[in-house]
Amino acid sequence: MGQFLKVAPLSQVPPGTIASFDVGGKHVLLANIEGGVYAVSGYCTHEETDLGNGFLIEDRVVCPLHLSQFELKTGAVTNPPATVPLEKFNVKIEDETIFVEV
């Protein structure tokens, strides 16, 4: 089991946005959607592109390179060419600060 590390103030990832951060040696994508904050690995599993440069469609992030889509709550692939899901991380929010378990 990992440890929760401080990532950013909640205000840095407002509702309906994504942002990528380096946390404990991992590149993590945070998403503030549907009233929750979710964390998944920040690189597309198809071509290692930074998903922080992608865009949101509902509860999915779309890779800017080949348009693979990943469900942000689970990391599941919802559109090829990617076939491997994203790693999912636990998130907690304390005092308006986001922490991710890595």
Side-chain angles (χ1 to χ4, degrees), residues 10-96:
L10 184 57
S11 61
Q12 204 167 335
V13 189
T17 67
I18 56 174
S20 54
F21 300 89
D22 291 318
V23 183
K26 297 195 181 233
H27 190 65
V28 175
L29 182 74
L30 293 180
N32 188 338
I33 53 170
E34 299 175 354
V37 176
Y38 302 91
V40 293
S41 50
Y43 290 119
C44 180
T45 58
H46 175 245
E47 289 288 334
E48 295 295 313
T49 300
D50 186 352
L51 293 173
N53 295 323
F55 55 95
L56 282 175
I57 295 179
E58 298 172 358
D59 63 349
R60 300 178 311 277
V61 63
V62 180
C63 177
L65 188 58
H66 294 117
L67 305 179
S68 291
Q69 294 181 26
F70 300 91
E71 206 281 324
L72 289 163
K73 293 179 182 177
T74 66
V77 177
T78 60
N79 191 66
T83 58
V84 177
L86 299 173
E87 182 178 2
K88 184 181 178 312
F89 301 97
N90 293 321
V91 174
K92 71 177 180 179
I93 298 171
E94 292 181 354
D95 299 322
E96 298 297 309

